[in-house]
Amino acid sequence: MAATIAVLPGDGIGPEVTHAAVAVLQTVRPDVTCVEHEIGGAALRRGLPALPDDARATCERSDAILFGSVGLPEYDSKPLAERPEYALFLLRRDYELYANIRPVRVFPGLEDASSLKPELVRGLDLVVVRELTGGIYYGKPKEQRTEDGVESAVDTMIYHAPEIERIVRTGFELARGRRKHLTSVDKQNILETSRLWRRVTERIAPEYPDVKLEHLLVDNAAMQLVRRPGDFDVIVTENMFGDILSDEAAILTGSIGTLPSASLGTRGMPGRQFGLYEPIGGTAPDIAGKGIANPTAAILSAALLLRYSLADDENAARIERAVERAYADGVLTADVARDNTPVSTQTFTDAVTARL
Ligand code: IPM
Ligand code: MG
């Protein structure tokens, strides 16, 4: 079946790693049409909005979006609508991509790259399920004010029960297909939204009697993640907690450059869902353009795209195995190379392509 992918590389290392992912994707699926657009800072620099109309139009007629990364220090002082991140903010909101799935795995042989003791991270395999279209990212009011000469700012954390229900179900479903352990993370000792979150989660739990449900407060969860990461299977949590915990979980693997993510919504059907696929890590402006960035997260994001949006589990697994083999053969970029000689983005990509 012919498919069209909107390719939005964005800023920093975004273009390098996204082009690597496209190369791998087109090797296994030469029939897929990739249409690329500048977004984020790359668009802002040309006087365009962060998500230009032509990019949006391509997304509109695509089966999925392969996204790089957005954000550049030069825009830090601008309001959200004039920052590169706004592109991502709009795509998530407009396509209601509420379920952000972030699988965290340690490649065999890479345990030494982690800042934790190797025995704590060996075989680590967990998934963070982050609510992506609600909570404090999107709640209104959200603004800066000056009253009687005093500056203030407000963000609003709001959740509606149906938003919690659907993401908690995503968590339960995923856990059901794995080790059947779901950890719901909240801050119910302080936040009203968390009290609702926990109540709704408890209400849904009886539908999944085969899954063991555990609740953790977010501060404790942050601690347990570095103390006993191997005990986690699926973590489900609200937008901002998920943002923070997924970076923490990602670095357990030794490099944030290895972890992909899928953001799924309400469009399409299982296996053929419209989704946005992106590396968890950021734009890494310090190494951008040097050709040394680790493209693993982008390549594995393309694999998730095949699995969830193009119903092509076979090629998804092919890509995942090829990446694993490259690691097993010691083909390592600078972020994870340690005592080995680091390879470039291009060399790593070629190594993956050769192992497909
Ligand atoms: C992420 C990123 C984004 C977020 C930024 C770039 C807006 O950190 O996808 O985790 O906060 O969601
Ligand atoms: Mg983040």
Side-chain angles (χ1 to χ4, degrees):
M1 220 186 89
T4 302
I5 306 296
V7 177
L8 310 179
D11 308 317
I13 59 168
E16 304 157 52
V17 298
T18 307
H19 293 144
V22 168
V24 173
L25 180 70
Q26 293 204 311
T27 305
V28 295
R29 288 290 302 268
D31 60 313
V32 170
T33 307
C34 293
V35 184
E36 185 172 329
H37 290 280
E38 283 184 342
I39 50 116
L44 291 169
R45 276 183 183 152
R46 296 207 289 120
L48 296 167
L51 184 64
D53 289 342
D54 59 347
R56 196 191 278 270
T58 297
C59 293
E60 206 51 53
R61 63 181 180 83
S62 294
D63 299 279
I65 303 170
L66 187 63
F67 197 92
S69 51
V70 281
L72 289 174
E74 65 198 81
Y75 295 99
D76 279 353
S77 59
K78 297 278 188 192
L80 177 59
E82 294 165 36
R83 282 206 305 276
E85 289 89 339
Y86 198 50
L88 197 51
F89 183 90
L90 290 177
L91 289 168
R92 289 173 179 173
R93 185 193 70 189
D94 296 350
Y95 291 110
E96 223 184 321
L97 302 170
Y98 68 87
N100 183 223
I101 299 171
R102 302 188 155 183
V104 177
R105 288 185 53 215
V106 174
F107 291 108
L110 225 66
E111 297 85 358
D112 284 342
S114 176
S115 49
L116 295 192
K117 296 190 191 93
E119 60 267 29
L120 277 180
V121 297
R122 187 162 294 123
L124 186 71
D125 177 7
L126 62 87
V127 184
V128 179
V129 177
R130 167 185 173 194
E131 201 290 325
L132 203 57
T133 51
I136 203 164
Y137 273 55
Y138 291 94
K140 296 269 175 58
K142 181 183 193 66
E143 63 194 19
Q144 307 217 16
R145 304 164 174 161
T146 305
E147 277 166 90
D148 300 330
V150 179
E151 290 173 286
S152 64
V154 59
D155 291 288
T156 304
M157 192 167 194
I158 178 166
Y159 269 106
H160 304 87
E163 292 174 293
I164 302 172
E165 277 165 24
R166 63 184 183 182
I167 191 71
V168 166
R169 283 212 167 84
T170 304
F172 271 115
E173 294 289 342
L174 262 170
R176 175 168 268 180
R178 294 172 42 97
R179 301 194 304 277
K180 303 188 179 10
H181 180 194
L182 181 66
T183 306
S184 171
V185 173
D186 61 39
K187 186 71 185 170
Q188 79 113 30
N189 50 352
I190 291 292
L191 300 179
E192 295 305 326
T193 43
S194 283
R195 301 178 78 82
L196 176 65
W197 183 280
R198 204 175 272 212
R199 206 161 65 237
V200 170
T201 305
E202 282 294 330
R203 208 149 67 205
I204 290 172
E207 295 172 31
Y208 300 89
D210 51 325
V211 177
K212 182 174 158 249
L213 171 67
E214 164 192 40
H215 300 282
L216 283 186
L217 295 175
V218 63
D219 48 350
N220 188 22
M223 181 173 71
Q224 301 305 337
L225 259 179
V226 289
R227 196 171 152 248
R228 48 173 186 96
D231 288 356
F232 290 92
D233 179 14
V234 179
I235 297 172
V236 64
T237 190
E238 67 89 41
N239 204 341
M240 187 168 62
F241 298 163
D243 178 42
I244 298 167
L245 291 181
S246 60
D247 269 27
E248 190 193 1
I251 199 62
L252 298 176
T253 67
S255 171
I256 198 163
T258 60
L259 296 175
S261 81
S263 303
L264 307 173
T266 47
R267 268 199 195 191
M269 49 189 154
R272 289 212 177 271
Q273 277 179 281
F274 180 81
L276 181 151
Y277 301 84
E278 59 174 325
I280 290 188
T283 49
D286 51 324
I287 58 162
K290 295 187 179 164
I292 59 170
N294 187 347
T296 303
I299 293 171
L300 294 177
S301 293
L304 294 180
L305 183 156
L306 287 170
R307 176 168 299 131
Y308 293 127
S309 291
L310 302 189
D312 187 355
D313 202 50
E314 191 187 321
N315 280 313
R318 246 178 101 192
I319 293 177
E320 288 163 350
R321 277 196 307 268
V323 169
E324 263 174 45
R325 276 188 211 124
Y327 275 93
D329 293 343
V331 185
L332 304 169
T333 45
D335 53 329
V336 285
R338 292 170 58 85
D339 301 334
N340 301 281
T341 311
V343 303
S344 66
T345 309
Q346 184 67 50
T347 303
F348 182 84
T349 309
D350 293 343
V352 171
T353 310
R355 287 166 177 76
L356 284 166

